[in-house]
Amino acid sequence: MAMAVLLLLALVAPLVSLLPSSSGALNQDFCIADLARGDTPAGYPCKPQTGVTADDFYYRGLNSTGPTINPFNIGLSSAFVTRFPGVNGLGISAARVDFAPGGVVPLHSHPGGTELLFVIEGAMSAGFISSLTNQVFVKTLYKGDLMVFPQGLLHFQYNLAGNDTAVALSSYSSANPGLMILDFALFANNLPSDVVSKVTVVDELEVRKLKALFGGSG
């Protein structure tokens, strides 16, 4: 038994030395992101604790409607690490979405985190697509409802409140969950339109119209 333990330690020790520095956040109270030093695969470096104040743990960015994202008719404000350095290393962040009448959060994914959505006001349809079966899981959500969207899966929401607005607050299992909007990925790029047409089976003329709408080229 003693020999087995020694062998296990010999195997694990080199791996421990390879752990990213941000894992140190698990062994300290916090790690306020030093954004000026740049992001790394292990997260942002820590701001010197001598310079940390209560303001580093406080953020007002979700107290009002964020900038409008066209053509989807929604306002988005986020509390990701790049805006709220206090969440660095804590595996959590948040965002607020305001849906104007007809507002839509189009198909998108968060490569780095799972999303938990809470409806604050109004009603909306929300769903995600399984990567294994392409099955779609859709629910109508009302004020006070929650829905979870597993990490990396395409998902969407749209306003069902008629002429009224709807508001939702999302939390994420990452300080920087990332965001890829399918429409922008397909039609805001510089890939030639004929290539986009081939790989999407969308008529090339329609591809050109969508590229013009979303600011793509090619």
Side-chain angles (χ1 to χ4, degrees):
M1 177 64 73
M3 181 61 69
V5 171
L6 290 173
L7 288 173
L8 180 60
L9 289 173
L11 290 171
V12 170
L15 298 178
V16 171
S17 67
L18 296 176
L19 287 175
S21 59
S22 69
S23 65
L26 299 176
N27 299 315
Q28 61 192 57
D29 291 338
F30 48 79
C31 175
I32 306 300
D34 187 343
L35 300 180
R37 293 170 61 190
D39 197 6
T40 73
Y44 285 91
C46 302
K47 177 180 179 179
Q49 292 206 16
T50 54
V52 173
T53 70
D55 286 341
D56 289 310
F57 304 97
Y58 172 79
Y59 184 67
R60 289 183 55 84
L62 304 188
N63 69 342
S64 61
T65 303
T68 299
I69 298 180
N70 292 315
F72 304 115
N73 213 19
I74 59 170
L76 176 65
S77 48
S78 66
F80 297 167
V81 66
T82 50
R83 294 183 179 273
F84 186 16
V87 301
N88 189 47
L90 299 181
I92 192 171
S93 58
R96 168 179 170 165
V97 183
D98 291 76
F99 299 77
V104 175
V105 176
L107 279 172
H108 66 286
S109 66
H110 303 288
T114 291
E115 176 181 350
L116 184 65
L117 179 136
F118 176 68
V119 181
I120 297 175
E121 179 183 322
M124 63 188 69
S125 179
F128 67 88
I129 304 172
S130 167
S131 65
L132 296 177
T133 63
N134 289 323
Q135 181 178 355
V136 183
F137 298 89
V138 183
K139 288 291 292 183
T140 297
L141 306 179
Y142 300 95
K143 181 178 179 179
D145 288 347
L146 283 168
M147 187 166 183
V148 66
F149 305 99
Q151 179 174 341
L153 297 189
L154 287 168
H155 57 287
F156 63 88
Q157 300 99 30
Y158 60 87
N159 191 355
L160 291 177
N163 293 324
D164 296 324
T165 60
V167 183
L169 179 68
S170 291
S171 61
Y172 303 89
S173 63
S174 169
N176 193 13
L179 172 64
M180 176 174 280
I181 298 175
L182 187 59
D183 294 295
F184 288 120
L186 290 174
F187 306 114
N189 60 53
N190 61 355
L191 198 62
S193 294
D194 62 320
V195 176
V196 176
S197 177
K198 286 183 175 65
V199 299
T200 61
V201 201
V202 176
D203 181 77
E204 185 175 341
L205 181 60
E206 188 63 28
V207 170
R208 293 184 181 277
K209 291 179 180 178
L210 290 168
K211 275 183 169 281
L213 176 64
F214 291 105
S217 61

